[in-house]
Amino acid sequence: MADFEYVSQVDTEPLSSGPKPPLDLSHHFSRVTAARKASSMKEFYKYFLIPGIENLAGGLPNNHYFPYDTLEAQVAKPERWEPTPNDPNVLSDKLRSTSINAPDTSAALHLAVPHTSSSSNPITKIDLDTALQYGTAQGYPPLYSFLRQFTRENLNPNIPYEGGAEIILTVGSTDGFAKTLQCFSNAWNEERDWIREREGILCEEFAYMNAVQTARPLGLTVTPVKIDFEGIIPAALEEVLANWDESQGKRPHLLYTVTIGQNPTSGTLSAQRRKELYAILSKYDVLIVEDDPYWYLQYPSAAVSEAKARGTAIPPTISAHTFANSSGYEFLDSLVPSYLNFDTDGRVIRLDTFSKTVAPGCRVGWITAQPAIVERLLRITETSTQQPSGFVQSLLAELVMGPQAATAEFSKKTRAEQATFSGWKVDGWVRWLEGLRGNYERRMNRMCSILEDGRHYVKQGTPNKASESDWAVISKTTMYSFDWPRGGMFLWVKMHYETHPLWNVVSPQRLGNAMWIFFTLKPWVILVSPGLMFSPTEEIKEKEGYKYFRICFAAVDDDVVDTSSKRFAAAAQKFWQIKNKDELDEIEGTATARDASIEMLDLGMNMGC
């Protein structure tokens, strides 16, 4: 063992009175990324903004020929949904109140993006002339400026390196991750390249497979790391990195992780665990790709509700963090913070998205990282997707910022019309996020409560002794178990096939497959995602994947949360009554089962929800 203790590069630098700049991590850039130059055409765009300039240089279509005069929509007030308490000890009626089926559209407001705004400030100029024209790759200036300020001042106000982070807009988190891989990974081919050149990526033991499937075609090794209820186990991460077998290629230099409401397990990584993992990742110079679409969906009631339902001790309340800078909002301060707030090295690349807060069809998100990394991502974006859809960006900008006073069309409206919509602003956006959390938290509690009541198979028998004939023998068998999600949109249910009557008759993998098919048959007719789909390796799929199902409580209607949860429990009860192997043959042999098995991988279950 070495007679010294590892310290990060940042710790070896002389002490200063202020924050230190982030590390130079350019040695991680791929060959293509390192060679990229700024787009010569994009460099012209800054000259387009000179007042009064006659632009004969760019290949831009005439904005007066755009066939859209306005974009208009009815939008919700940010107070549409009722929040739930931030304090886990305050389990008020708010957890049970308000329907989540029927929004009050009478309270909707009218939003309009005009064709032309007379504003000369590009940060506040929201109109179709600019939104539908070619623009800078970093994003539509009004939306970009709002998100940059929101990210730096409200979401992550405690980034420890000098100057703070920068952002760039993406076409959703899938696009953001693909560009991040392109930025930091060299494609590898076993027929052409030496094994010593092969790069790799780490992920959770069960993972969001769209990300894994993005990495594999590049030839990267995909190495899962053991997880527990929170997420990645520090000792397991250290074990993988310290004992890396170089015959498999280079030690992985990227970690892909979903830290809040992990997909599929719903694990939520505490601040203390993040510090422990960050220290290890810094030690081995691993970059952290933090994909957090569910960050706002953290459920303070889950631990208390779980304890009460199971008659166990209520866990102590632990503060999410104690940073110097507040976000300015009690709701945001109550949430477990991003890795960015511990990122002394500048090795975190965070993916955010509007998919879970507005709608997946927006296809708009953003990356937050140290400026040098964002600059390279900008170069990639300039020659690939460019900025997201102008239609969507302008609607989002108008939603959160509101119409500008200088807009010609707006100034022609009556005072009553002008007062109908002024934009949500940061206050309204945060209030909207609070309301969304409230609704999803209520759904989570409803599903968990029903599944909690049905997780045991209870059987009543007759005593063997005649003298005890007045007594009934009750046996209680655990069919499945789960943790109440502390965040996200999913329950991760473990089936205990070892208690099934056919455990020693057929393989456990066959029981898992038959159980999944059984759910789809009448009268149950429910579709859940099998754990096999989230298994990064064949070994995990064979040994562990068959045991689990992921259940999403987010997408279905309010009443279906109840009925589908009851059907899940009832189907498990019925399946545990099967004692004859022939009954499994019948389940697997139905036409419905055959069709379901064939189509299983094409049901959209790879999506975030």
Side-chain angles (χ1 to χ4, degrees), residues 526-601:
I526 56 173
L527 187 63
V528 294
S529 297
L532 300 173
M533 296 180 60
F534 308 100
S535 304
T537 66
E538 288 300 317
E539 181 181 6
I540 292 174
K541 184 181 294 186
E542 179 69 17
K543 292 183 177 180
E544 298 292 331
Y546 72 90
K547 300 176 184 177
Y548 295 92
F549 293 112
R550 191 197 74 175
I551 309 176
C552 178
F553 53 79
V556 295
D557 289 340
D558 197 5
D559 56 342
V560 178
V561 172
D562 291 356
T563 57
S564 60
S565 301
K566 292 174 182 176
R567 288 181 181 181
F568 183 97
Q573 293 275 344
K574 193 68 174 178
F575 190 78
W576 250 251
Q577 295 175 23
I578 296 175
K579 299 180 180 179
N580 192 318
K581 175 178 169 293
D582 293 341
E583 293 182 66
L584 289 187
D585 297 336
E586 185 177 346
I587 291 169
E588 295 169 331
T590 61
T592 303
R594 285 198 301 273
D595 293 342
S597 295
I598 292 170
E599 299 297 330
M600 185 181 75
L601 297 180

Side-chain angles (χ1 to χ4, degrees), residues 36-63:
R36 287 186 181 276
K37 305 296 182 184
S39 168
S40 56
M41 285 303 300
K42 299 300 180 183
E43 281 292 299
F44 261 82
Y45 284 0
K46 61 187 177 184
Y47 295 103
F48 296 174
L49 303 177
I50 297 175
I53 196 168
E54 298 294 340
N55 181 9
L56 303 179
L60 280 63
N62 191 294
N63 57 292

Side-chain angles (χ1 to χ4, degrees), residues 137-139 143 168-179 351-355 359-367 377 380-382 384-390 392-393 396:
Q138 68 186 11
L143 184 60
I168 182 171
L169 271 65
T170 63
V171 189
S173 289
T174 300
D175 171 59
F177 181 62
K179 287 172 179 170
L351 311 179
D352 279 287
T353 179
F354 283 104
S355 292
C362 288
R363 305 317 307 147
V364 176
W366 69 99
I367 295 175
L377 291 167
I380 293 171
T381 303
E382 285 174 344
S384 58
T385 63
Q386 302 189 47
Q387 63 174 298
S389 164
V392 178
Q393 288 193 90
L396 289 172

Side-chain angles (χ1 to χ4, degrees), residues 215-253:
R216 281 220 168 97
L218 295 174
L220 303 183
T221 58
V222 176
T223 305
V225 183
K226 192 75 175 175
I227 60 174
D228 61 10
F229 170 67
E230 281 193 35
I232 290 177
I233 301 169
L237 178 64
E238 176 75 39
E239 174 72 18
V240 168
L241 293 172
N243 299 294
W244 181 255
D245 180 3
E246 293 187 354
S247 68
Q248 302 300 311
K250 294 181 180 180
R251 187 166 57 201
H253 68 295

Side-chain angles (χ1 to χ4, degrees), residues 444-508:
M444 179 275 296
N445 275 286
R446 290 170 69 159
M447 177 172 281
C448 287
S449 295
I450 293 170
L451 294 182
E452 187 73 36
D453 292 339
R455 63 194 184 98
H456 296 107
Y457 177 56
V458 179
K459 180 180 178 182
Q460 180 174 322
T462 303
N464 294 326
K465 296 181 180 180
S467 60
E468 298 175 350
S469 59
D470 292 337
W471 296 84
V473 176
I474 303 295
S475 62
K476 190 176 181 180
T477 301
T478 300
M479 299 180 296
Y480 58 83
S481 61
F482 62 93
D483 293 307
W484 291 46
R486 273 50 168 179
M489 293 181 169
F490 312 111
L491 266 70
W492 185 238
V493 180
K494 181 178 182 179
M495 307 303 295
H496 292 274
Y497 297 118
E498 69 275 10
T499 69
H500 193 279
L502 295 178
W503 172 252
N504 291 318
V505 179
V506 300
S507 71

